[in-house]
Amino acid sequence: MKTTTGIPGLDIILKGGLEKGTTHLVKGGPGSGKTIFGLQFLIEGLRRGEKCVYITFDESVDEIIYQANSFGWDTKNILFVDMLKKLDIYRSDAFFLDYDSRAEIIEFIDSVTKLDVIENADRVFIDGIGAIRDIVKDEAIYRRVLSSIIQYLNSRDTTTMISSEKTDDIGKEIISYVVSGEFHLEKVEANGKIFRTIDVLKSRSDVVIGRHYFDIKDNGIVVYPIILHGLELNSIKDRLTLSTGNSELDSMLGGGILSGSKLIISGKSGVGKTNLCLQILMQNDFNNTGILYTFKESREEIMQRYEDLFNYKPERLVVKECEDMSSVGEVYWNIIHDLKSHNPTIIAIDCVNTLSNLAINSKDSINMLRTLNRATKKMGVTMLAVVEITQEMDVFHLTGLGISRFADYLIYGRYIEKEGELLKAITVIKNRFGNHERTFRILDMKKGMGLKIEEPLKEYSGLLSGKYEKSA
């Protein structure tokens, strides 16, 4: 039987929650979110009508209640036990240094297990258990104390969470061996940002082991698992060929785009990538819902583009501004939520380069795109990804990010000079499902008239490399 944690996203990782009657450890440095983690676990219990107990060896009860109030949580039905006051731990010089007396050991264990509030408790959070480790000098005694307390609570079918400060020996401390599972909360600095992560280090039940991004929001902790497991995905739609709304572009692609596929539009800044994306979304907007995730432009700017270039006002298109999202985890979490709530036929990300800045490393951003690709394909949703190539113009790159392998279709844009004029040109590099046109065409954009794609540039060669010339 599972006990839900009340932490959005975490129960997906835990495949329903914590096993009832087990004990889990949450570790982290100062400010990592351990107390919030435990409070949220207990608040979920209160919501379900359960008896919840908070035992603190660290902060005072007043400090804990103040922190809970900042999230709008009512703690009046949580039963608090302040072990700082009860045992006078930090003001006693003689207390618990050697413990060569069996009676003294039993006395301390009883100080926890014989608490009246523990009786029939459904959930217990023990905050700052590391205080015992600081006082007990003998590791064998420390393990005996921990094991006795944990075994007692487990035997009463109580689901327990224990917090402890981060140490260098992650997953190797004595306490790690006596709990059923262990979480590590961490703050990681990368790309000029601070990321919060939760690492599921171990579990004696079936969970998703590994590191996941999380945030502390106004209403508590939210975990962002970049996984497919636990998501109620719709059955795949019939795979139809979708028109882009531009006959020349359809011709270049080999007839259009297959639903449930992934199209990457790559090129240097200003070659028309976003406008190509908007063209496809506009065609979809006539009859279906589409979602655009934009990292650079506001919704108002996107709508102004539609008015200026296409003389069109979208009716079903949802535009999500993503500039303030904290991590690739949050981006993924929001997209999956939107896929389920809006049921779109097409989603678009402009541009995916930004995901690299929202991840601790490139591996995480690529994993997010790979998993999202699998999710959209399974749901029959077409995904458009805009990629800006930042490398030098005279060096050929399909995307510059190493993600071209995920594409079913790839449109590549670049600048060319023709008769002294700098022009924009596009070509289709890839169509996984069949044949496609293999020439460059000039892309022109005129106010109120949309995109104009000219005839193939068959008279030129070397356009991909940038060292092109007119054929003889």
Side-chain angles (χ1 to χ4, degrees), residues 16 24 30 61 98 254-255 330 339 393 398 408:
H24 287 70
V61 172
D98 297 313
E330 185 177 9
L339 287 173
M393 290 188 68
L398 289 177
D408 297 311

Side-chain angles (χ1 to χ4, degrees), residues 39-109:
L39 276 169
Q40 203 162 339
F41 168 68
L42 296 183
I43 292 296
E44 171 68 4
L46 294 183
R47 191 181 69 81
R48 293 176 174 272
E50 298 173 354
K51 182 178 180 180
C52 299
V53 180
Y54 193 123
I55 301 173
T56 175
F57 285 90
D58 193 0
E59 297 178 270
S60 69
V61 172
D62 288 342
E63 289 173 323
I64 295 164
I65 293 175
Y66 178 81
Q67 193 167 3
N69 289 340
S70 69
F71 293 99
W73 294 334
D74 186 354
T75 59
K76 65 182 179 183
N77 290 323
I78 294 178
L79 302 172
F80 286 95
V81 179
D82 192 339
M83 297 299 284
L84 287 171
K85 290 182 179 179
K86 184 177 176 64
L87 298 178
D88 198 21
I89 291 176
Y90 293 116
R91 284 183 291 176
S92 176
D93 294 332
F95 182 73
F96 219 118
L97 290 177
D98 297 313
Y99 257 129
D100 54 4
S101 166
R102 181 175 182 273
E104 288 177 318
I105 298 172
I106 294 173
E107 180 183 355
F108 179 78
I109 294 171

Side-chain angles (χ1 to χ4, degrees), residues 7 68 154 164 222 269 298 353 390 426 455:
I7 299 174
N154 291 352
S164 179
V222 180
S269 176
S298 67
N353 301 65
T390 58
I426 60 172
E455 291 299 312

Side-chain angles (χ1 to χ4, degrees), residues 236-244 253 256-264 277 280-281 284 288-293 335 339 343-349 372-373 375-385 408-409 433:
I236 190 166
K237 302 177 178 69
D238 293 334
R239 303 202 76 173
L240 306 173
T241 300
L242 309 176
S243 172
T244 64
L253 289 163
I257 305 168
L258 197 64
S259 62
S261 62
K262 180 173 181 179
L263 167 64
I264 290 180
C277 181
I280 298 169
L281 288 170
N284 179 75
N288 301 293
T289 300
I291 306 176
L292 171 62
Y293 299 90
I335 293 177
L339 287 173
N343 193 30
T345 54
I346 295 181
I347 66 167
I349 302 174
L372 181 60
N373 187 36
T376 53
K377 186 173 293 186
K378 188 171 182 179
M379 296 180 71
V381 176
T382 304
M383 180 163 68
L384 314 180
D408 297 311
Y409 302 90
F433 308 108

Side-chain angles (χ1 to χ4, degrees), residues 172-183:
K172 298 179 181 179
E173 270 199 303
I174 289 175
I175 191 171
S176 299
Y177 295 98
V178 298
V179 294
S180 297
E182 182 171 346
F183 309 118

Side-chain angles (χ1 to χ4, degrees), residues 79-292:
L79 302 172
F80 286 95
V81 179
D82 192 339
M83 297 299 284
L84 287 171
K85 290 182 179 179
K86 184 177 176 64
L87 298 178
D88 198 21
I89 291 176
Y90 293 116
R91 284 183 291 176
S92 176
D93 294 332
F95 182 73
F96 219 118
L97 290 177
D98 297 313
Y99 257 129
D100 54 4
S101 166
R102 181 175 182 273
E104 288 177 318
I105 298 172
I106 294 173
E107 180 183 355
F108 179 78
I109 294 171
D110 286 348
S111 71
V112 177
T113 60
K114 299 296 184 183
L115 289 168
D116 292 337
V117 293
I118 292 290
E119 190 68 27
N120 298 320
D122 297 292
R123 299 179 186 226
V124 171
F125 178 53
I126 304 177
D127 195 8
I129 199 76
I132 300 175
R133 183 67 187 88
D134 293 339
I135 298 166
V136 179
K137 303 303 180 184
D138 188 297
E139 289 192 356
I141 295 174
Y142 177 53
R143 179 165 186 156
R144 182 176 176 183
V145 170
L146 290 175
S147 296
S148 299
I149 294 172
I150 289 170
Q151 288 174 13
Y152 177 84
L153 292 169
N154 291 352
S155 70
R156 297 299 189 272
D157 213 23
T158 300
T159 307
T160 306
M161 191 76 70
I162 296 176
S163 81
S164 179
E165 286 295 317
K166 172 186 174 183
T167 62
D168 292 334
D169 295 327
I170 298 172
K172 298 179 181 179
E173 270 199 303
I174 289 175
I175 191 171
S176 299
Y177 295 98
V178 298
V179 294
S180 297
E182 182 171 346
F183 309 118
H184 179 214
L185 307 183
E186 191 172 11
K187 292 187 289 184
V188 181
E189 185 174 357
N191 295 319
K193 293 172 60 69
I194 300 295
F195 296 97
R196 292 185 181 272
T197 63
I198 176 171
D199 195 349
V200 182
L201 291 176
K202 63 168 277 188
S203 176
R204 291 173 183 164
S205 59
D206 184 21
V207 302
V208 182
I209 298 293
R211 185 180 68 184
H212 309 271
Y213 291 88
F214 81 92
D215 270 336
I216 299 176
K217 300 288 190 180
D218 291 341
N219 56 349
I221 291 174
V222 180
V223 180
Y224 306 120
I226 305 177
I227 57 176
L228 289 178
H229 180 87
L231 300 174
E232 297 177 2
L233 301 177
N234 300 328
S235 59
I236 190 166
K237 302 177 178 69
D238 293 334
R239 303 202 76 173
L240 306 173
T241 300
L242 309 176
S243 172
T244 64
N246 184 295
S247 60
E248 299 299 329
L249 184 56
D250 284 345
S251 177
M252 293 180 72
L253 289 163
I257 305 168
L258 197 64
S259 62
S261 62
K262 180 173 181 179
L263 167 64
I264 290 180
I265 306 171
S266 70
K268 299 292 289 185
S269 176
V271 297
K273 302 183 301 296
T274 297
N275 289 331
L276 284 166
C277 181
L278 295 183
Q279 166 68 52
I280 298 169
L281 288 170
M282 181 177 69
Q283 177 65 21
N284 179 75
D285 190 66
F286 294 146
N287 297 296
N288 301 293
T289 300
I291 306 176
L292 171 62

Side-chain angles (χ1 to χ4, degrees), residues 190-461:
N191 295 319
K193 293 172 60 69
I194 300 295
F195 296 97
R196 292 185 181 272
T197 63
I198 176 171
D199 195 349
V200 182
L201 291 176
K202 63 168 277 188
S203 176
R204 291 173 183 164
S205 59
D206 184 21
V207 302
V208 182
I209 298 293
R211 185 180 68 184
H212 309 271
Y213 291 88
F214 81 92
D215 270 336
I216 299 176
K217 300 288 190 180
D218 291 341
N219 56 349
I221 291 174
V222 180
V223 180
Y224 306 120
I226 305 177
I227 57 176
L228 289 178
H229 180 87
L231 300 174
E232 297 177 2
L233 301 177
N234 300 328
S235 59
I236 190 166
K237 302 177 178 69
D238 293 334
R239 303 202 76 173
L240 306 173
T241 300
L242 309 176
S243 172
T244 64
N246 184 295
S247 60
E248 299 299 329
L249 184 56
D250 284 345
S251 177
M252 293 180 72
L253 289 163
I257 305 168
L258 197 64
S259 62
S261 62
K262 180 173 181 179
L263 167 64
I264 290 180
I265 306 171
S266 70
K268 299 292 289 185
S269 176
V271 297
K273 302 183 301 296
T274 297
N275 289 331
L276 284 166
C277 181
L278 295 183
Q279 166 68 52
I280 298 169
L281 288 170
M282 181 177 69
Q283 177 65 21
N284 179 75
D285 190 66
F286 294 146
N287 297 296
N288 301 293
T289 300
I291 306 176
L292 171 62
Y293 299 90
T294 172
F295 288 90
K296 291 186 176 181
E297 297 180 90
S298 67
R299 183 183 185 280
E300 289 72 23
E301 288 172 321
I302 293 296
M303 293 303 163
Q304 191 63 51
R305 274 205 196 217
Y306 268 118
E307 182 179 343
D308 292 345
L309 180 58
F310 298 99
N311 192 26
Y312 180 75
K313 183 177 181 180
E315 296 182 359
R316 298 175 179 86
L317 178 64
V318 178
V319 179
K320 295 288 187 81
E321 298 177 20
C322 303
E323 185 179 1
D324 295 329
M325 290 194 181
S326 63
S327 67
V328 289
E330 185 177 9
V331 175
Y332 179 82
W333 181 260
N334 276 271
I335 293 177
I336 292 297
H337 176 270
D338 292 341
L339 287 173
K340 295 161 68 176
S341 60
H342 291 289
N343 193 30
T345 54
I346 295 181
I347 66 167
I349 302 174
D350 185 14
C351 64
V352 300
N353 301 65
T354 311
L355 297 177
S356 299
N357 298 324
L358 296 178
I360 294 172
N361 52 49
S362 60
K363 180 181 176 181
D364 285 357
S365 58
I366 290 175
N367 176 60
M368 178 271 191
L369 286 171
R370 180 191 298 112
T371 310
L372 181 60
N373 187 36
R374 291 173 60 198
T376 53
K377 186 173 293 186
K378 188 171 182 179
M379 296 180 71
V381 176
T382 304
M383 180 163 68
L384 314 180
V386 174
V387 179
E388 182 170 327
I389 296 175
T390 58
Q391 287 79 6
E392 294 83 355
M393 290 188 68
D394 60 346
V395 179
F396 175 66
H397 290 273
L398 289 177
T399 65
L401 299 177
I403 62 171
S404 59
R405 63 186 183 276
F406 300 142
D408 297 311
Y409 302 90
L410 199 157
I411 298 175
Y412 173 78
R414 68 165 303 128
Y415 291 102
I416 67 168
E417 183 184 353
K418 183 181 179 184
E419 298 176 353
E421 184 179 2
L422 191 63
L423 303 174
K424 300 167 184 178
I426 60 172
T427 187
V428 174
I429 298 290
K430 180 180 180 181
N431 176 353
R432 192 188 300 276
F433 308 108
N435 201 9
H436 62 89
E437 188 178 290
R438 290 170 170 77
T439 58
F440 269 92
R441 296 193 186 209
I442 299 298
L443 173 65
D444 197 10
M445 291 162 275
K446 294 187 177 180
K447 185 174 182 179
M449 299 177 64
L451 306 182
K452 181 183 178 183
I453 299 175
E454 298 182 4
E455 291 299 312
L457 291 171
K458 294 183 178 180
E459 70 273 24
Y460 285 86
S461 61

